[in-house]
Amino acid sequence: LMTSIGTPLFCLLGLLHAQQTVSQGNTACWQGGYTFEFCCDQRLGPDGNPDCWDAAFHSYKSCCLGTGGDAEADYAALIHQGDQGDVSVLPRL
């Protein structure tokens, strides 16, 4: 399909999807009642809602901006921290 200006419609749809993905941050973060809207609202502070972030994987940068990095490397680092006795990697209750 082509638009009136000659740009394939699927390209425009792809750009729209990419913008929606970025606007929701890293979708892997949003589970257990946590949402982009609840955590990333900068009216709660420059790093969004501080109740959303932990010392392991979840931060404003990795969840809201979608710049979390390499999941396998992050997991290996987390396991290493736990093996060293670092309790900050345990989930908050």
mmCIF file of all heavy atoms in Angstrom, residues 22-71:
data_model
loop_
_atom_site.group_PDB
_atom_site.id
_atom_site.type_symbol
_atom_site.label_atom_id
_atom_site.label_comp_id
_atom_site.label_asym_id
_atom_site.label_seq_id
_atom_site.Cartn_x
_atom_site.Cartn_y
_atom_site.Cartn_z
ATOM 1 N N VAL A 22 8.379 3.156 22.483
ATOM 2 C CA VAL A 22 9.237 4.053 23.248
ATOM 3 C C VAL A 22 8.422 4.767 24.308
ATOM 4 O O VAL A 22 8.859 4.925 25.437
ATOM 5 C CB VAL A 22 9.946 5.050 22.307
ATOM 6 C CG1 VAL A 22 10.638 6.137 23.106
ATOM 7 C CG2 VAL A 22 10.938 4.326 21.428
ATOM 8 N N SER A 23 7.210 5.189 23.976
ATOM 9 C CA SER A 23 6.416 5.946 24.932
ATOM 10 C C SER A 23 5.996 5.103 26.129
ATOM 11 O O SER A 23 5.615 5.643 27.141
ATOM 12 C CB SER A 23 5.188 6.548 24.251
ATOM 13 O OG SER A 23 4.270 5.540 23.901
ATOM 14 N N GLN A 24 6.065 3.787 26.039
ATOM 15 C CA GLN A 24 5.735 2.913 27.158
ATOM 16 C C GLN A 24 6.986 2.347 27.829
ATOM 17 O O GLN A 24 6.894 1.482 28.679
ATOM 18 C CB GLN A 24 4.826 1.776 26.686
ATOM 19 C CG GLN A 24 3.455 2.241 26.268
ATOM 20 C CD GLN A 24 2.707 2.905 27.419
ATOM 21 O OE1 GLN A 24 2.502 2.328 28.473
ATOM 22 N NE2 GLN A 24 2.293 4.144 27.214
ATOM 23 N N GLY A 25 8.152 2.822 27.430
ATOM 24 C CA GLY A 25 9.394 2.369 28.043
ATOM 25 C C GLY A 25 9.663 0.900 27.787
ATOM 26 O O GLY A 25 9.270 0.348 26.766
ATOM 27 N N ASN A 26 10.317 0.265 28.727
ATOM 28 C CA ASN A 26 10.688 -1.143 28.636
ATOM 29 C C ASN A 26 9.509 -1.980 29.143
ATOM 30 O O ASN A 26 9.260 -2.048 30.342
ATOM 31 C CB ASN A 26 11.935 -1.381 29.472
ATOM 32 C CG ASN A 26 12.415 -2.801 29.435
ATOM 33 O OD1 ASN A 26 11.743 -3.697 28.934
ATOM 34 N ND2 ASN A 26 13.595 -3.028 29.972
ATOM 35 N N THR A 27 8.803 -2.628 28.242
ATOM 36 C CA THR A 27 7.591 -3.356 28.621
ATOM 37 C C THR A 27 7.861 -4.519 29.570
ATOM 38 O O THR A 27 6.949 -4.976 30.251
ATOM 39 C CB THR A 27 6.845 -3.861 27.377
ATOM 40 O OG1 THR A 27 7.730 -4.681 26.599
ATOM 41 C CG2 THR A 27 6.344 -2.696 26.530
ATOM 42 N N ALA A 28 9.094 -4.975 29.665
ATOM 43 C CA ALA A 28 9.429 -6.052 30.599
ATOM 44 C C ALA A 28 9.284 -5.605 32.055
ATOM 45 O O ALA A 28 9.166 -6.432 32.952
ATOM 46 C CB ALA A 28 10.851 -6.553 30.347
ATOM 47 N N CYS A 29 9.255 -4.308 32.290
ATOM 48 C CA CYS A 29 9.145 -3.777 33.659
ATOM 49 C C CYS A 29 7.711 -3.792 34.182
ATOM 50 O O CYS A 29 7.507 -3.730 35.385
ATOM 51 C CB CYS A 29 9.653 -2.337 33.697
ATOM 52 S SG CYS A 29 11.417 -2.162 33.384
ATOM 53 N N TRP A 30 6.738 -3.839 33.303
ATOM 54 C CA TRP A 30 5.360 -3.585 33.704
ATOM 55 C C TRP A 30 4.609 -4.876 33.997
ATOM 56 O O TRP A 30 3.980 -5.475 33.142
ATOM 57 C CB TRP A 30 4.634 -2.749 32.648
ATOM 58 C CG TRP A 30 5.482 -1.600 32.176
ATOM 59 C CD1 TRP A 30 5.715 -1.228 30.897
ATOM 60 C CD2 TRP A 30 6.224 -0.681 32.978
ATOM 61 N NE1 TRP A 30 6.544 -0.142 30.868
ATOM 62 C CE2 TRP A 30 6.880 0.214 32.129
ATOM 63 C CE3 TRP A 30 6.419 -0.521 34.358
ATOM 64 C CZ2 TRP A 30 7.691 1.253 32.580
ATOM 65 C CZ3 TRP A 30 7.236 0.490 34.812
ATOM 66 C CH2 TRP A 30 7.860 1.365 33.942
ATOM 67 N N GLN A 31 4.701 -5.284 35.248
ATOM 68 C CA GLN A 31 3.994 -6.460 35.738
ATOM 69 C C GLN A 31 3.767 -6.291 37.233
ATOM 70 O O GLN A 31 4.324 -5.406 37.850
ATOM 71 C CB GLN A 31 4.771 -7.728 35.429
ATOM 72 C CG GLN A 31 6.237 -7.690 35.826
ATOM 73 C CD GLN A 31 6.992 -8.877 35.286
ATOM 74 O OE1 GLN A 31 6.616 -10.002 35.529
ATOM 75 N NE2 GLN A 31 8.057 -8.616 34.555
ATOM 76 N N GLY A 32 2.934 -7.101 37.791
ATOM 77 C CA GLY A 32 2.677 -7.038 39.229
ATOM 78 C C GLY A 32 2.039 -5.736 39.681
ATOM 79 O O GLY A 32 2.283 -5.281 40.794
ATOM 80 N N GLY A 33 1.248 -5.108 38.822
ATOM 81 C CA GLY A 33 0.594 -3.861 39.184
ATOM 82 C C GLY A 33 1.386 -2.613 38.841
ATOM 83 O O GLY A 33 0.879 -1.504 38.954
ATOM 84 N N TYR A 34 2.646 -2.767 38.452
ATOM 85 C CA TYR A 34 3.453 -1.622 38.047
ATOM 86 C C TYR A 34 3.157 -1.301 36.590
ATOM 87 O O TYR A 34 3.070 -2.196 35.759
ATOM 88 C CB TYR A 34 4.947 -1.911 38.229
ATOM 89 C CG TYR A 34 5.334 -2.037 39.677
ATOM 90 C CD1 TYR A 34 5.412 -3.281 40.282
ATOM 91 C CD2 TYR A 34 5.605 -0.911 40.432
ATOM 92 C CE1 TYR A 34 5.745 -3.399 41.620
ATOM 93 C CE2 TYR A 34 5.947 -1.019 41.777
ATOM 94 C CZ TYR A 34 6.015 -2.269 42.365
ATOM 95 O OH TYR A 34 6.348 -2.382 43.681
ATOM 96 N N THR A 35 2.991 -0.028 36.289
ATOM 97 C CA THR A 35 2.718 0.413 34.930
ATOM 98 C C THR A 35 3.607 1.592 34.581
ATOM 99 O O THR A 35 4.163 2.250 35.471
ATOM 100 C CB THR A 35 1.250 0.854 34.759
ATOM 101 O OG1 THR A 35 1.031 2.024 35.583
ATOM 102 C CG2 THR A 35 0.265 -0.244 35.147
ATOM 103 N N PHE A 36 3.721 1.852 33.298
ATOM 104 C CA PHE A 36 4.471 3.009 32.836
ATOM 105 C C PHE A 36 3.903 4.283 33.453
ATOM 106 O O PHE A 36 4.647 5.132 33.945
ATOM 107 C CB PHE A 36 4.417 3.065 31.301
ATOM 108 C CG PHE A 36 5.144 4.247 30.722
ATOM 109 C CD1 PHE A 36 6.503 4.193 30.487
ATOM 110 C CD2 PHE A 36 4.455 5.409 30.408
ATOM 111 C CE1 PHE A 36 7.178 5.284 29.961
ATOM 112 C CE2 PHE A 36 5.117 6.503 29.875
ATOM 113 C CZ PHE A 36 6.480 6.440 29.655
ATOM 114 N N GLU A 37 2.585 4.397 33.447
ATOM 115 C CA GLU A 37 1.936 5.599 33.973
ATOM 116 C C GLU A 37 2.213 5.781 35.464
ATOM 117 O O GLU A 37 2.454 6.887 35.932
ATOM 118 C CB GLU A 37 0.427 5.537 33.727
ATOM 119 C CG GLU A 37 0.031 5.628 32.266
ATOM 120 C CD GLU A 37 0.230 4.318 31.497
ATOM 121 O OE1 GLU A 37 0.389 3.242 32.126
ATOM 122 O OE2 GLU A 37 0.238 4.377 30.261
ATOM 123 N N PHE A 38 2.182 4.697 36.228
ATOM 124 C CA PHE A 38 2.385 4.750 37.679
ATOM 125 C C PHE A 38 3.839 5.066 38.026
ATOM 126 O O PHE A 38 4.109 5.807 38.971
ATOM 127 C CB PHE A 38 1.979 3.406 38.303
ATOM 128 C CG PHE A 38 2.190 3.323 39.787
ATOM 129 C CD1 PHE A 38 1.351 3.994 40.667
ATOM 130 C CD2 PHE A 38 3.221 2.555 40.314
ATOM 131 C CE1 PHE A 38 1.548 3.909 42.038
ATOM 132 C CE2 PHE A 38 3.418 2.472 41.687
ATOM 133 C CZ PHE A 38 2.583 3.147 42.548
ATOM 134 N N CYS A 39 4.766 4.520 37.269
ATOM 135 C CA CYS A 39 6.183 4.616 37.633
ATOM 136 C C CYS A 39 6.949 5.763 36.974
ATOM 137 O O CYS A 39 7.907 6.268 37.553
ATOM 138 C CB CYS A 39 6.884 3.304 37.296
ATOM 139 S SG CYS A 39 6.315 1.913 38.307
ATOM 140 N N CYS A 40 6.551 6.165 35.780
ATOM 141 C CA CYS A 40 7.375 7.086 35.004
ATOM 142 C C CYS A 40 6.895 8.532 35.010
ATOM 143 O O CYS A 40 7.478 9.375 34.332
ATOM 144 C CB CYS A 40 7.471 6.583 33.571
ATOM 145 S SG CYS A 40 8.233 4.937 33.485
ATOM 146 N N ASP A 41 5.887 8.835 35.782
ATOM 147 C CA ASP A 41 5.335 10.186 35.837
ATOM 148 C C ASP A 41 6.335 11.116 36.528
ATOM 149 O O ASP A 41 6.570 11.008 37.733
ATOM 150 C CB ASP A 41 4.007 10.164 36.598
ATOM 151 C CG ASP A 41 3.276 11.482 36.567
ATOM 152 O OD1 ASP A 41 3.887 12.517 36.183
ATOM 153 O OD2 ASP A 41 2.086 11.486 36.925
ATOM 154 N N GLN A 42 6.919 12.020 35.771
ATOM 155 C CA GLN A 42 7.934 12.913 36.323
ATOM 156 C C GLN A 42 7.360 13.988 37.230
ATOM 157 O O GLN A 42 8.126 14.723 37.856
ATOM 158 C CB GLN A 42 8.768 13.536 35.207
ATOM 159 C CG GLN A 42 9.717 12.527 34.596
ATOM 160 C CD GLN A 42 10.700 13.180 33.668
ATOM 161 O OE1 GLN A 42 10.320 13.989 32.825
ATOM 162 N NE2 GLN A 42 11.956 12.829 33.816
ATOM 163 N N ARG A 43 6.055 14.060 37.353
ATOM 164 C CA ARG A 43 5.473 14.964 38.346
ATOM 165 C C ARG A 43 5.774 14.458 39.757
ATOM 166 O O ARG A 43 5.687 15.201 40.722
ATOM 167 C CB ARG A 43 3.967 15.087 38.139
ATOM 168 C CG ARG A 43 3.608 15.843 36.855
ATOM 169 C CD ARG A 43 2.138 15.911 36.646
ATOM 170 N NE ARG A 43 1.665 14.547 36.361
ATOM 171 C CZ ARG A 43 0.438 14.233 36.017
ATOM 172 N NH1 ARG A 43 -0.481 15.163 35.921
ATOM 173 N NH2 ARG A 43 0.097 12.986 35.761
ATOM 174 N N LEU A 44 6.154 13.174 39.869
ATOM 175 C CA LEU A 44 6.506 12.585 41.167
ATOM 176 C C LEU A 44 7.985 12.770 41.496
ATOM 177 O O LEU A 44 8.430 12.390 42.566
ATOM 178 C CB LEU A 44 6.158 11.090 41.160
ATOM 179 C CG LEU A 44 4.683 10.783 40.924
ATOM 180 C CD1 LEU A 44 4.467 9.299 40.717
ATOM 181 C CD2 LEU A 44 3.850 11.284 42.099
ATOM 182 N N GLY A 45 8.743 13.330 40.571
ATOM 183 C CA GLY A 45 10.172 13.554 40.744
ATOM 184 C C GLY A 45 10.882 13.327 39.430
ATOM 185 O O GLY A 45 10.301 12.779 38.488
ATOM 186 N N PRO A 46 12.134 13.735 39.335
ATOM 187 C CA PRO A 46 12.858 13.617 38.064
ATOM 188 C C PRO A 46 13.049 12.170 37.612
ATOM 189 O O PRO A 46 13.236 11.917 36.430
ATOM 190 C CB PRO A 46 14.198 14.300 38.342
ATOM 191 C CG PRO A 46 14.339 14.283 39.825
ATOM 192 C CD PRO A 46 12.937 14.332 40.381
ATOM 193 N N ASP A 47 12.993 11.232 38.544
ATOM 194 C CA ASP A 47 13.129 9.819 38.212
ATOM 195 C C ASP A 47 11.816 9.075 38.412
ATOM 196 O O ASP A 47 11.801 7.878 38.727
ATOM 197 C CB ASP A 47 14.233 9.175 39.055
ATOM 198 C CG ASP A 47 15.611 9.701 38.673
ATOM 199 O OD1 ASP A 47 15.819 10.013 37.483
ATOM 200 O OD2 ASP A 47 16.472 9.810 39.551
ATOM 201 N N GLY A 48 10.699 9.777 38.243
ATOM 202 C CA GLY A 48 9.397 9.140 38.369
ATOM 203 C C GLY A 48 9.077 8.763 39.807
ATOM 204 O O GLY A 48 9.505 9.409 40.756
ATOM 205 N N ASN A 49 8.343 7.672 39.970
ATOM 206 C CA ASN A 49 7.889 7.218 41.278
ATOM 207 C C ASN A 49 8.987 6.387 41.957
ATOM 208 O O ASN A 49 9.283 5.280 41.514
ATOM 209 C CB ASN A 49 6.624 6.378 41.099
ATOM 210 C CG ASN A 49 5.993 5.980 42.404
ATOM 211 O OD1 ASN A 49 6.613 6.037 43.457
ATOM 212 N ND2 ASN A 49 4.739 5.570 42.339
ATOM 213 N N PRO A 50 9.590 6.880 43.040
ATOM 214 C CA PRO A 50 10.691 6.151 43.681
ATOM 215 C C PRO A 50 10.272 4.796 44.247
ATOM 216 O O PRO A 50 11.120 3.920 44.449
ATOM 217 C CB PRO A 50 11.165 7.098 44.793
ATOM 218 C CG PRO A 50 10.035 8.049 45.012
ATOM 219 C CD PRO A 50 9.282 8.141 43.725
ATOM 220 N N ASP A 51 8.978 4.583 44.483
ATOM 221 C CA ASP A 51 8.511 3.288 44.997
ATOM 222 C C ASP A 51 8.609 2.177 43.960
ATOM 223 O O ASP A 51 8.452 1.005 44.293
ATOM 224 C CB ASP A 51 7.066 3.392 45.482
ATOM 225 C CG ASP A 51 6.939 4.279 46.709
ATOM 226 O OD1 ASP A 51 7.941 4.410 47.452
ATOM 227 O OD2 ASP A 51 5.853 4.839 46.913
ATOM 228 N N CYS A 52 8.888 2.520 42.713
ATOM 229 C CA CYS A 52 8.958 1.524 41.645
ATOM 230 C C CYS A 52 10.348 0.916 41.467
ATOM 231 O O CYS A 52 10.482 -0.124 40.821
ATOM 232 C CB CYS A 52 8.551 2.160 40.314
ATOM 233 S SG CYS A 52 6.824 2.666 40.255
ATOM 234 N N TRP A 53 11.359 1.536 42.000
ATOM 235 C CA TRP A 53 12.734 1.156 41.641
ATOM 236 C C TRP A 53 13.409 0.335 42.729
ATOM 237 O O TRP A 53 13.223 0.556 43.908
ATOM 238 C CB TRP A 53 13.549 2.404 41.320
ATOM 239 C CG TRP A 53 12.800 3.386 40.477
ATOM 240 C CD1 TRP A 53 12.662 4.721 40.705
ATOM 241 C CD2 TRP A 53 12.056 3.120 39.280
ATOM 242 N NE1 TRP A 53 11.893 5.298 39.723
ATOM 243 C CE2 TRP A 53 11.494 4.328 38.833
ATOM 244 C CE3 TRP A 53 11.795 1.970 38.539
ATOM 245 C CZ2 TRP A 53 10.716 4.438 37.689
ATOM 246 C CZ3 TRP A 53 11.004 2.066 37.399
ATOM 247 C CH2 TRP A 53 10.482 3.279 36.980
ATOM 248 N N ASP A 54 14.216 -0.631 42.293
ATOM 249 C CA ASP A 54 14.972 -1.472 43.220
ATOM 250 C C ASP A 54 16.463 -1.375 42.885
ATOM 251 O O ASP A 54 16.855 -0.685 41.953
ATOM 252 C CB ASP A 54 14.488 -2.926 43.174
ATOM 253 C CG ASP A 54 14.568 -3.539 41.784
ATOM 254 O OD1 ASP A 54 15.487 -3.206 41.013
ATOM 255 O OD2 ASP A 54 13.701 -4.375 41.463
ATOM 256 N N ALA A 55 17.268 -2.062 43.649
ATOM 257 C CA ALA A 55 18.712 -2.000 43.454
ATOM 258 C C ALA A 55 19.192 -2.967 42.379
ATOM 259 O O ALA A 55 20.371 -2.987 42.053
ATOM 260 C CB ALA A 55 19.425 -2.308 44.772
ATOM 261 N N ALA A 56 18.292 -3.759 41.828
ATOM 262 C CA ALA A 56 18.709 -4.787 40.867
ATOM 263 C C ALA A 56 18.481 -4.339 39.423
ATOM 264 O O ALA A 56 19.376 -3.804 38.786
ATOM 265 C CB ALA A 56 17.963 -6.084 41.162
ATOM 266 N N PHE A 57 17.291 -4.550 38.898
ATOM 267 C CA PHE A 57 17.015 -4.314 37.490
ATOM 268 C C PHE A 57 16.209 -3.063 37.201
ATOM 269 O O PHE A 57 16.311 -2.497 36.133
ATOM 270 C CB PHE A 57 16.221 -5.489 36.896
ATOM 271 C CG PHE A 57 16.993 -6.761 36.822
ATOM 272 C CD1 PHE A 57 16.606 -7.857 37.570
ATOM 273 C CD2 PHE A 57 18.101 -6.883 36.006
ATOM 274 C CE1 PHE A 57 17.311 -9.033 37.504
ATOM 275 C CE2 PHE A 57 18.808 -8.054 35.924
ATOM 276 C CZ PHE A 57 18.414 -9.139 36.678
ATOM 277 N N HIS A 58 15.369 -2.681 38.110
ATOM 278 C CA HIS A 58 14.379 -1.646 37.827
ATOM 279 C C HIS A 58 14.876 -0.264 38.231
ATOM 280 O O HIS A 58 15.174 -0.019 39.394
ATOM 281 C CB HIS A 58 13.065 -1.968 38.546
ATOM 282 C CG HIS A 58 12.522 -3.295 38.162
ATOM 283 N ND1 HIS A 58 12.732 -4.421 38.915
ATOM 284 C CD2 HIS A 58 11.813 -3.685 37.081
ATOM 285 C CE1 HIS A 58 12.159 -5.454 38.321
ATOM 286 N NE2 HIS A 58 11.591 -5.028 37.204
ATOM 287 N N SER A 59 14.915 0.631 37.260
ATOM 288 C CA SER A 59 15.282 2.028 37.491
ATOM 289 C C SER A 59 14.517 2.883 36.487
ATOM 290 O O SER A 59 13.973 2.369 35.503
ATOM 291 C CB SER A 59 16.787 2.242 37.304
ATOM 292 O OG SER A 59 17.135 2.108 35.931
ATOM 293 N N TYR A 60 14.489 4.171 36.727
ATOM 294 C CA TYR A 60 13.833 5.072 35.779
ATOM 295 C C TYR A 60 14.464 4.924 34.399
ATOM 296 O O TYR A 60 13.776 4.819 33.392
ATOM 297 C CB TYR A 60 13.934 6.516 36.270
ATOM 298 C CG TYR A 60 13.277 7.497 35.330
ATOM 299 C CD1 TYR A 60 11.898 7.700 35.372
ATOM 300 C CD2 TYR A 60 14.021 8.205 34.395
ATOM 301 C CE1 TYR A 60 11.279 8.579 34.507
ATOM 302 C CE2 TYR A 60 13.414 9.099 33.530
ATOM 303 C CZ TYR A 60 12.043 9.274 33.588
ATOM 304 O OH TYR A 60 11.425 10.147 32.719
ATOM 305 N N LYS A 61 15.786 4.867 34.377
ATOM 306 C CA LYS A 61 16.498 4.776 33.097
ATOM 307 C C LYS A 61 16.163 3.481 32.368
ATOM 308 O O LYS A 61 15.839 3.498 31.189
ATOM 309 C CB LYS A 61 18.003 4.887 33.323
ATOM 310 C CG LYS A 61 18.815 4.833 32.045
ATOM 311 C CD LYS A 61 20.290 4.960 32.327
ATOM 312 C CE LYS A 61 21.094 4.840 31.044
ATOM 313 N NZ LYS A 61 22.530 4.845 31.305
ATOM 314 N N SER A 62 16.222 2.351 33.056
ATOM 315 C CA SER A 62 16.024 1.073 32.376
ATOM 316 C C SER A 62 14.564 0.801 32.042
ATOM 317 O O SER A 62 14.265 0.119 31.064
ATOM 318 C CB SER A 62 16.587 -0.083 33.208
ATOM 319 O OG SER A 62 15.855 -0.234 34.406
ATOM 320 N N CYS A 63 13.635 1.330 32.819
ATOM 321 C CA CYS A 63 12.216 1.045 32.586
ATOM 322 C C CYS A 63 11.504 2.134 31.787
ATOM 323 O O CYS A 63 10.781 1.830 30.842
ATOM 324 C CB CYS A 63 11.502 0.825 33.916
ATOM 325 S SG CYS A 63 11.991 -0.699 34.744
ATOM 326 N N CYS A 64 11.713 3.371 32.136
ATOM 327 C CA CYS A 64 10.968 4.459 31.495
ATOM 328 C C CYS A 64 11.593 4.901 30.182
ATOM 329 O O CYS A 64 10.898 5.263 29.245
ATOM 330 C CB CYS A 64 10.851 5.645 32.428
ATOM 331 S SG CYS A 64 10.009 5.230 33.961
ATOM 332 N N LEU A 65 12.912 4.880 30.126
ATOM 333 C CA LEU A 65 13.596 5.295 28.911
ATOM 334 C C LEU A 65 13.907 4.113 28.015
ATOM 335 O O LEU A 65 14.356 4.293 26.890
ATOM 336 C CB LEU A 65 14.878 6.062 29.254
ATOM 337 C CG LEU A 65 14.677 7.284 30.149
ATOM 338 C CD1 LEU A 65 16.013 7.934 30.452
ATOM 339 C CD2 LEU A 65 13.703 8.257 29.535
ATOM 340 N N GLY A 66 13.714 2.895 28.541
ATOM 341 C CA GLY A 66 13.928 1.701 27.732
ATOM 342 C C GLY A 66 15.374 1.438 27.396
ATOM 343 O O GLY A 66 15.679 0.848 26.385
ATOM 344 N N THR A 67 16.294 1.871 28.264
ATOM 345 C CA THR A 67 17.719 1.675 28.000
ATOM 346 C C THR A 67 18.306 0.737 29.034
ATOM 347 O O THR A 67 19.269 1.052 29.711
ATOM 348 C CB THR A 67 18.467 3.018 28.014
ATOM 349 O OG1 THR A 67 18.216 3.657 29.275
ATOM 350 C CG2 THR A 67 18.025 3.922 26.890
ATOM 351 N N GLY A 68 17.713 -0.432 29.153
ATOM 352 C CA GLY A 68 18.099 -1.363 30.188
ATOM 353 C C GLY A 68 19.375 -2.129 29.949
ATOM 354 O O GLY A 68 19.991 -2.632 30.857
ATOM 355 N N GLY A 69 19.802 -2.238 28.702
ATOM 356 C CA GLY A 69 21.031 -2.947 28.421
ATOM 357 C C GLY A 69 20.806 -4.423 28.152
ATOM 358 O O GLY A 69 19.730 -4.846 27.755
ATOM 359 N N ASP A 70 21.812 -5.225 28.382
ATOM 360 C CA ASP A 70 21.831 -6.640 28.059
ATOM 361 C C ASP A 70 21.236 -7.449 29.216
ATOM 362 O O ASP A 70 21.816 -7.523 30.293
ATOM 363 C CB ASP A 70 23.279 -7.058 27.787
ATOM 364 C CG ASP A 70 23.437 -8.522 27.455
ATOM 365 O OD1 ASP A 70 22.420 -9.224 27.286
ATOM 366 O OD2 ASP A 70 24.591 -8.963 27.351
ATOM 367 N N ALA A 71 20.094 -8.070 28.991
ATOM 368 C CA ALA A 71 19.386 -8.791 30.054
ATOM 369 C C ALA A 71 20.209 -9.950 30.608
ATOM 370 O O ALA A 71 20.227 -10.186 31.810
ATOM 371 C CB ALA A 71 18.041 -9.291 29.543
#
